[in-house]
Amino acid sequence: MTIRVGIAGLGTVGGGVLKVLAADAAHLAARAGRKDVKVVAVSARDKAKNRGVDLTSIAWEDNPIALASRSDVDVVVELVGGSEGTARELVSTALSNGKHVVTANKALLAYHGPELAAMAEKANVALKFEAAVCGGIPIVKALREGLIAYEISSLRGILNGTCNYILTEMEATGRAFNEVLGEAQRLGYAEADPTLDVGGGDTAHKLALLASLAFGTLPDIDAVDVSGIQNISPADIAFAAEFGYRIKLLGIAKRTSDGIEQRVHPAMVRARTPLAAVESSFNAVEVKAGEAGPFLFQGRGAGEGPTASAVVADIVDVARGAVSPAFGRPVAELKKPEKVMREGRISAYYLRFQVLDVPGVMASVSQHLADEGVSIDSMLQRGRSPGEAVSIVMLTHEAPHIAVERALKAIAASDKVFETPCMIPMETA
Ligand code: NAP
Ligand code: HSE
């Protein structure tokens, strides 16, 4: 039998999926054990836009929600984006009409995953989202199916291609953040609202989904502690290199005595380690899976080809009849995660201060840190500009987050300190 597909959204990802299905339908049908994998209907905003594929034999719906009610559609593929509005209505209508759904929409699932997964369970249809996390890397399938024998203790990774592209380019060229962001947008990596990328929100959406699959938690964006890369300067990247580190935006989820900790933040990662070597729009996820050992998944995390690859794999999975709980367990078994607060976290830190180059300023900064029990591992001051601003950079030994934050507040209050001090945790393990 033919599996009949309706696609909403024909942009970077949807356009890529159309191209793969147009070019390779026979091969994919054979892999799925079906007569054909056929796109029967599509929808986007602008019917006149060239999608690089002949659409004349495919029905066009001005309203994407109509795809969910077409009797000739078996699988609705949602590639519109956004956690509310069209995407949410399309997916919930499709599921309640008994259609399988494939989506790349991590924002939608991070906010409404449990409700949508429950609808899929009730209708006994698939809700698949491989493309929502790390583009072409099959990490969702790996966590849902491949790594279930042993308890997972932690996962951490580079989950956003836009941020990794920006940090890589800033390091390679010394260019500023905003210049490079525009490039990532032109390459099709960024979200419609790129503040989701650079503010860490997109990584948090993905982390909530990975944590759910790995630890059996409800995807819950409120349980993720998030900060982004907007304040990382070329100077921080250069100082990190001098100390033997690279700055990466990481998503980290781990078991702790307080529950499942989920956090997203820029981190100092030791140079020449596998994570530090992940460049450009590539993503990577390290998973510690008990006696199965540690794993490193790496590949292209954003853009047309990798993401279309993951969407097509899900469509073929559905065509093969793979229907199982979206998050690997029935929704009723998923547990609400607690937010593990950053204040109690212990870490070493990279600190940078812009200070007036006058005698005693270094001693004063060090004293404030000492007052909070924060011990300095190494430090450097670059340049000499008497009476002007210079950078002081310090690496601390492990200390409670709250103590470092208190010291920084006291330091920032000095009239010899300009700008908010920069504080980046070091991922030394
Ligand atoms: P995109 O290039 O902006 O494409 C969005 C598509 O949705 C466009 O075709 C647009 O129509 C259509 N659309 C928007 N609003 C619509 C509405 N109200 N009614 C009908 N169609 C509408 O976005 P994208 O990069 O492909 O991303 C799509 C989804 O994939 C998002 O959830 C995103 O988070 C996810 N994702 C993206 C990537 C990536 O690398 N780009 C990777 C993984 C996951 P027009 O073309 O006519 O304007
Ligand atoms: N904006 C996302 C990123 C797309 O840059 O990683 C892939 O999910």
Side-chain angles (χ1 to χ4, degrees), residues 8-15 43-47 49 51 60-64 78-82 86-87 103-108 131-135 162 187-192 202 206 301-304 306-308 311:
L10 304 175
T12 303
V13 185
S43 177
R45 277 180 300 215
D46 181 357
K47 190 175 178 183
K49 206 188 268 184
R51 311 289 174 176
W60 178 274
E61 295 285 0
D62 285 326
N63 181 357
E78 183 280 306
L79 301 170
V80 170
T86 304
T103 180
N105 192 334
K106 51 272 170 157
L108 174 71
V133 189
C134 295
T162 303
L187 289 165
Y189 302 152
E191 296 302 301
D202 178 76
K206 293 165 176 167
E304 179 180 310
T307 315
V311 172

Side-chain angles (χ1 to χ4, degrees), residues 2-3 5 21 25 28-29 32 34-39 315-316 319:
T2 296
I3 181 116
V5 179
L21 292 179
L28 294 168
R34 296 281 194 147
K35 183 165 163 247
D36 197 3
V37 179
K38 191 170 174 7
V39 180
I315 295 172
V316 169

Side-chain angles (χ1 to χ4, degrees), residues 212-237:
S212 175
L213 292 159
F215 302 110
T217 49
L218 284 162
D220 181 2
I221 200 67
D222 293 332
V224 188
D225 185 17
V226 189
S227 44
I229 64 163
Q230 307 96 316
N231 298 324
I232 304 294
S233 68
D236 294 315
I237 291 173

